[in-house]
Every structure is written in structure tokens, then in C-alpha cells.
Amino acid sequence: MKILVANLGSTSFKYRLFDMTTETLLARGGIERIGSPQSPCFLECGGQREQAVVAVCDHAAAVRLCLEQLADPKRRCLRHPSELSAIGFKAVHAQGISGVQRVDDRVLAAMEAYADVAPAHNPPYVRAMRLLSKELPQIPLVAAFETDFHQTISAAQRYYAVPREWADRHGVCKHGFHGASHRYIAGRAAQLLDKPEAKIISCHLGGSSSLCAIKDGRSQACSLGMSPQSGLPHNNRVGEFDPFALPVLMRATGKSLEQLLDDLANRSGLLGLSGGRNDLRDIEAAAAAGDADAQLAIEVFVAAVRHYLGAYLLLLNGADAIVFTGGIGENSARMRQAICADLDWFGIHLDRLKNDNAKGEMPIHSSQSRVQLWIMPTNEELIVARQAKALLEK
Ligand code: ADP
């Protein structure tokens, strides 16, 4: 059973092809800077890595290119696209729908209804899903929603303090996202700790960032709320924000509500604070060179992570492990060190040497740490492939 998992960013398309009979990764690839005349793409298959720069105008063209490359006879990843049992999507949000769903008109309409709640994610997903269901109608498309893992969150952690019918009638509550990543970390950490009931705080820090409190393999709380623009600051999305700033800004700038929401979704977060830098690597380099805006962006991000870390240590009554994952969580020793600084009262001690030299999945706590600290590369695509397989076998 071959399943292709598609992971769409606002200007990127990443994919993995699995043989789900054995959970073997057959191929992986990605296309970046979609929409620009030069889109770098890569494909790894059968131990070979190929790279190229092509012009990919939109996500539909990216999906087409991916299927052409996989089915190219010289690579033999797929005999033909029709060999796929399903294409799984790490779908983000839909009005009134969560879980794992066959993509049909009802699911697409529910995703379209939340295009302005998840503006960086839902429109490209819907476009790609529509294209594929037209071009490959025989292949089932499966949407594994990022909110699914968080359906176990209690009412106390889920509700905003707003009129009750906003939640009950309109779904205005904390849905939580990054479900595939936090689910993977929950399972992998329980396995590594040999403790299924473990209390885990999963820190997915990347282009989008969130913390999740996990107990008995189940999500207890997530820093992401109603939309992917909430919680921690993201690379260009705002994170926590007071809606009463909006009328002040509308009066002061003359901008419409839509323009300000666009600023919050595209020109805020680390980018907004750091003076236009989107990537933490550039922000860290600028901060090291003395740039005050870059330094502030790092400090705000670290403070926000520590805010949720503290909240979740209380919620879980301690933790067996804190896990770092995502592009920042896996790669930035500086961020991990800043987040774990001065937490000895909680029994949290980072080993500086291990942290500085970490690569791949490994513990980074010192011998006196009561709480284990880990780096774990996440595998969201495997989770989506498993969910798609389970749906097909139902
Ligand atoms: P996404 O949420 O879009 O999937 P990733 O999890 O791939 O994003 O994380 C991407 C982010 O990780 C980049 O914006 C970059 O800031 C950060 N990153 C990647 N590598 C490093 C590194 N070596 N040091 C610091 N930050 C890094």
C-alpha cells in the first residue's frame, strides 16, 4: 500500500512517499519558493538525491511535478500515479470538522469557510485538493486535520471566556494545531522513556510554533487556539494578541480590519519584531552582531515559550520529559539553552556540551536533571500516512 503525504506551506510543498505495508519511506522531496521564477526542488529516492531549480507557478503545478518525478521510469518510485492507494494531507482547519476525513465537497466547503481563519494554509490546500481530485479521481484523498490530536483537551483548557454560544454555535474556542507532530512526539517519547503514561511537554518550534502538554499519550492543552495565528509568535504570524488593539490601529493608521488582519498574519511574529527577518538563522546572526531588534525578537519568543512551559508544568504537576522538535527546536542550541535557563527549582538542567553538539534524536539533560530533556526530529508525514491507512482499512 503506497501512500503519498503532502505537506503544503504558503510557498512550499514537501512530500513523502511511504510503503505502508512495512512503513518504509520510499521517497521524499520538496519544492520551495513556489510562485517565483526559480523554485529549488529536490527528490531523494533509492539512496540518490537530485536537485534542480525550475519554475513552479503554483501549488497545483508543484503537485503535478511531484507526481511526474515519482512516476519517471528512471527512478521507479511509482509505476504510475494510479499506484497510490491514497494521498494524505496534513490539513489544518475546517469549520465544524476535525479528525481524519475523505476529501469531498463537504470537507472542501468546510475548509473554504475557514480560509480567513487559516489564510496561509487553507487556500493552497483546497487548491491542491481540487486539482488532484480532478486529475486523479481514482485516488482517494485523505485530510488528517491538525486539530484531531487535541480533541482530548478538557473544557477548562479549551474555552475562551466569551459568551458561551460563541463556542457552542460558532466553534470559537481553542482547537490546537500541530497535531501530527505532537502525536508523533507523544508516541516516540513514551517509547524512549518506556513509560506509556509519561507526562511530556512537546515544544514544536519552527516556522509555526506551539507547545503541547501530554499525559497518557493524550493532548491536555496546546498553546495554539482558534487559529494558527495564536499562542507563541511564529515566523511571520502574530501569536497571542489583544483584539482591542485593533480599533486603536484602525483609527491611527486608516487601515481596514482586513488589512490589519493581513499584517497580523503575514508581517508580524519574529519578522515583525526583528525588522523584516523571517528566518531564525538570520535573526540569530544579526543578534550576535549587536542588532537590538533581532535580540528583542529572540527575547520575546523565549519569554513566550517559557510562559507556556511554566503553565504546562503546573497543569501536568511536573513533567517526565520536555521535547524539542521543529526547525528551531531541533537546530537552535541557543534557543534551547535560553528556554531552559535557570529552571533548577523545577529539576530542569540542560547539559551545555550535549546541547551544543546535538544532532538528531538525543537527550540533552545533565545527570542531575529530574526532568529529561530531548531533541526529537518529528515525523508528521508518517502520522498522516498511518491515519490515511487506518481510514482506508475502516
Ligand atoms: P515549518 O513550521 O514551516 O515546517 P520548520 O519546522 O521547517 O518550519 O522550521 C523552519 C524554521 O526553523 C526556519 O524559519 C528557521 O528559522 C529555523 N531553523 C532551521 N534551521 C535552523 C538552525 N540551524 N538554527 C536556527 N534556526 C533554524
Side-chain angles (χ1 to χ4, degrees), residues 343-364:
L343 296 178
D344 42 317
W345 189 81
F346 296 91
I348 295 169
H349 295 270
L350 189 80
D351 183 309
R352 281 285 288 270
L353 209 62
K354 284 186 197 165
N355 184 48
D356 287 348
N357 298 305
K359 205 151 186 60
E361 185 178 87
M362 63 174 287
I364 49 169

Side-chain angles (χ1 to χ4, degrees), residues 296-345:
L296 177 68
I298 290 174
E299 285 170 11
V300 170
F301 184 79
V302 169
V305 174
R306 284 167 67 92
H307 171 86
Y308 281 101
L309 189 57
Y312 293 169
L313 284 167
L314 250 69
L315 175 66
L316 297 174
N317 188 14
D320 294 296
I322 297 168
V323 179
F324 292 95
T325 193
I328 295 173
E330 289 168 35
N331 296 305
S332 176
R334 177 189 167 143
M335 280 296 195
R336 293 191 301 262
Q337 191 193 316
I339 291 163
C340 295
D342 301 325
L343 296 178
D344 42 317
W345 189 81

Side-chain angles (χ1 to χ4, degrees), residues 10 119-120 235-238 261-268 271:
S10 47
N235 64 337
N236 63 350
R237 284 174 279 133
V238 60
L261 291 175
D262 189 52
D263 284 342
L264 293 171
N266 293 300
R267 282 172 287 284
S268 298
L271 177 87

Side-chain angles (χ1 to χ4, degrees), residues 14 204-208 278-281 284 326-328 331-332:
K14 292 184 259 180
H204 180 115
L205 311 177
S208 319
N278 201 5
D279 191 299
L280 184 71
R281 284 165 286 203
E284 285 187 339
I328 295 173
N331 296 305
S332 176

Side-chain angles (χ1 to χ4, degrees), residues 58-65 67 108 124-137 141:
D58 59 17
H59 283 83
V63 176
R64 239 183 249 127
L65 178 69
L67 291 174
L108 288 168
Y125 269 92
V126 170
R127 268 198 303 278
M129 286 167 170
R130 283 202 190 285
L131 167 95
L132 285 167
S133 53
K134 207 166 91 198
E135 290 200 358
L136 299 165
L141 306 183

